[in-house]
Amino acid sequence: GAGVSQSPSNKVTEKGKDVELRCDPISGHTALYWYRQSLGQGLEFLIYFQGNSAPDKSGLPSDRFSAERTGGSVSTLTIQRTQQEDSAVYLCASSPRQGMGNEQFFGPGTRLTVL
Amino acid sequence: DQQVKQNSPSLSVQEGRISILNCDYTNSMFDYFLWYKKYPAEGPTFLISISSIKDKNEDGRFTVFLNKSAKHLSLHIVPSQPGDSAVYFCAASSGGSYIPTFGRGTSLIVHP
């Protein structure tokens, strides 16, 4: 079956512009995560959605970052007024269940470059 | 402060030999540990996991060992193959959180 997909695969933008990144999780997966990976760094948690519960936004680095998940499926991550330090690979993952041992299925990521 | 540490950024091994990737953690509440493998331009893929009630889990060529007293786990790959060349991430979570904490990864290169 289809895995997690993300679009665009690459995005180059100018400092100060807004960007939207999209994630299509695996059908039926209730949990959805956004991470980012900066050069030479590990995966930095951004936000977590689980079913209809309020999202865990504790990893968002600033109020320029927001995300939503419509209908419990597709999610968009929006970065307003982008800065050069926002350049990173943004990864989305979904999981079929919550709880211990929740293996995550990752998309290929969106590489964001802010000039 | 990193709660999950992979202190070796890279590891080079000859094909057929054993690869040992190490991971240390500081949070004693972590009770579930996962390893992911990542190829360039792809997302990480799940490899193997272990619960804190065990000290070893094996799946084919991959074995994860957990030493709770030392807060240390390791991934053994035997025998190593060139296709194993990738970045390996260690992740840990606690029962009360559904958000795993990831290490920075170790880049494994297996030479033919």
Side-chain angles (χ1 to χ4, degrees):
Chain A
V4 177
S5 62
Q6 292 186 246
S7 60
S9 55
N10 280 283
K11 176 71 176 178
V12 180
T13 190
E14 293 180 348
K15 177 182 172 181
K17 295 284 180 69
D18 298 351
V19 295
E20 271 193 4
L21 312 179
R22 177 186 168 107
C23 172
D24 285 83
I26 294 173
S27 177
H29 281 195
T30 59
L32 187 146
Y33 305 76
W34 282 98
Y35 295 87
R36 73 176 174 182
Q37 185 181 17
S38 303
L39 192 63
Q41 302 297 311
L43 275 66
E44 176 189 2
F45 165 74
L46 297 177
I47 188 168
Y48 163 67
F49 295 90
Q50 172 58 51
N52 296 321
S53 303
D56 183 331
K57 305 179 182 180
S58 59
L60 295 178
S62 78
D63 58 8
R64 295 186 296 105
F65 288 73
S66 63
E68 59 180 29
R69 188 178 185 193
T70 53
S73 181
V74 172
S75 177
T76 54
L77 176 69
T78 302
I79 310 173
Q80 296 178 310
R81 305 181 303 282
T82 52
Q83 304 294 311
Q84 288 181 332
E85 60 263 28
D86 299 334
S87 296
V89 176
Y90 288 81
L91 291 159
C92 174
S94 68
S95 182
R97 61 195 177 278
Q98 67 180 32
M100 193 171 71
N102 52 334
E103 169 195 341
Q104 295 170 310
F105 297 78
F106 283 84
T110 294
R111 180 175 295 279
L112 174 66
T113 303
V114 182
L115 301 177
Chain B
D1 181 35
Q2 281 188 279
Q3 295 189 63
V4 177
K5 300 178 184 179
Q6 294 178 258
N7 291 320
S8 297
S10 64
L11 175 67
S12 183
V13 171
Q14 193 165 11
E15 181 178 8
R17 307 294 289 267
I18 184 172
S19 295
I20 300 176
L21 298 124
N22 294 304
C23 179
D24 297 289
Y25 61 97
T26 58
N27 188 341
S28 57
M29 298 301 292
F30 287 146
D31 54 12
Y32 201 83
F33 306 88
L34 309 96
W35 285 94
Y36 286 82
K37 178 169 75 172
K38 183 182 185 300
Y39 292 119
E42 296 182 10
T45 55
F46 171 75
L47 192 57
I48 192 169
S49 63
I50 189 167
S51 162
S52 60
I53 63 173
K54 294 186 174 182
D55 54 18
K56 176 182 174 181
N57 189 26
E58 189 172 352
D59 183 2
R61 297 186 297 114
F62 303 90
T63 303
V64 55
F65 295 92
L66 175 62
N67 183 333
K68 290 185 289 293
S69 61
K71 294 191 179 67
H72 176 83
L73 65 155
S74 59
L75 174 67
H76 293 211
I77 306 174
V78 183
S80 302
Q81 300 173 353
D84 296 329
S85 298
V87 176
Y88 290 78
F89 289 98
C90 171
S93 64
S94 59
S97 171
Y98 310 130
I99 303 166
T101 300
F102 284 82
R104 293 186 176 183
T106 296
S107 177
L108 172 66
I109 300 172
V110 180
H111 297 283

